[in-house]
Amino acid sequence: MKPALNPETCVREDDREVPKDCSAKRQRTGPKVPLTLPVTPSRYDGPFPFYRRPAEMGHFSLDAQRCYHGDARQLRYYTPPPAEGPSPGFDLRDGYRDRYVRQDESVREGLDHLLKWITQNRKLLPTEDKGRPLNADFVTWRGHLTKVLTTPYETQEGWLLAVTLFRGTLYISEVETEAARKQREERSELLKELMYMGYKFEQYMCADTPDGTPDPTGVVNTNEAYCTVIRTRLGTHSLLFSGEVDCTDPRSPWSDPPSCYVELKTSKVMHSPGQRKSFYRHKMIKWWAQSFLPGVSRIVAGYRGPEGSIVGLETFETMKIFQLIREDPGCWKPAVCMNFCAAFLAFVKKVVTEDNPKLVHLFTWEPGHPVSFTVHRDSDYTFLPDWYVEALSTEKPPTPRIPD
């Protein structure tokens, strides 16, 4: 059994058996199904919930044309500059005008890449329940769970999550809000450049081989990605999700993934205690959630100066981030985030009980309001592709016919 993670004590807890929750057989019995889910942080301020140590089930890559490959060809290796000496001085603006290929963000990929991995790796998710081909309550992207985790403390951006119950597993896929679409289409040139700087920082810090050297003269192509597939459990909810990985550390004291993975971030250099306090309150929560969920052990931050160059590096251990924020009574709490996420998953299970790949429940949240939902049958919100429904409708894992 895998031990659990608890960042507030930094100790391992024993895993424990929990009853199987076959979503395909859930019925609307007992108490009336709630129509909304409160988000107020104080409601979820309790002990840290059980969270099993994440285990990597597999991985896949997306190439320069955003095509899927069931291998690790896009995995990069953490190669930091020497710890001693002057600041790195990386020029994060270099190549923005002439060596930058951007992913088309208007193309909504949904869960398709993760679903391709599932069809090819069903043997890794065995179940004795013939009506339930996958041994997972939920399938989603790490980014969707990150948004749920940070919801109790989010004050700016809402979200829309589409949920479908199919053969006993709940699939969660994000729908772009109108506000997010407008923000994306009207993104300022400054913000576009800041986004590029994050990718450029990765180029300076990563090599193509374990003993290689970073090559910052190449093209930054945001279509390319290496993704891990993680299995874990939050309370009684078994989770299967995927997330992009920046790099792996070939010299990490933790040799096995996901612990050997490193998350790379950039942020504006801080000059005062007030700026650092704001950084911990507003930016660190998203960094923590993004790395804690898949079990990534370290976050390396590059601090950029006014001219766009890196003036310093700082490493954060994911499991020790709570120590940096616990002295601030107005800061966020990891337990609140995880308890709310568990409550949201339980809410979804209560609401979505009809097993139908064409039925979508759209869960909606805006700052200052509770989570609510609407029901959509045979609508544009349907997101499970026909090839996936067909593949999982057979008794035994077939040789999948998956589109390119």
Side-chain angles (χ1 to χ4, degrees), residues 84-132:
E84 303 297 328
S87 63
F90 302 150
D91 180 6
L92 300 187
R93 286 196 169 100
D94 177 52
Y96 177 63
R97 300 295 179 188
D98 58 344
R99 302 195 311 278
Y100 183 24
V101 177
R102 310 181 201 186
Q103 178 191 350
D104 185 352
E105 295 178 89
S106 67
V107 176
R108 311 311 296 175
E109 296 175 334
L111 301 180
D112 286 12
H113 296 308
L114 175 55
L115 300 182
K116 289 179 183 179
W117 182 89
I118 290 174
T119 58
Q120 295 175 353
N121 295 276
R122 278 174 58 185
K123 64 182 181 296
L124 300 178
L125 304 165
T127 174
E128 296 179 359
D129 188 337
K130 292 184 179 180
R132 189 183 189 192

Side-chain angles (χ1 to χ4, degrees), residues 33-39 44 343 347 351 363-364 369-373:
V33 176
L35 297 179
T36 61
L37 176 70
V39 179
Y44 306 98
F347 179 56
V351 169
F363 290 81
T364 307
H369 298 275
V371 178
S372 60
F373 66 91

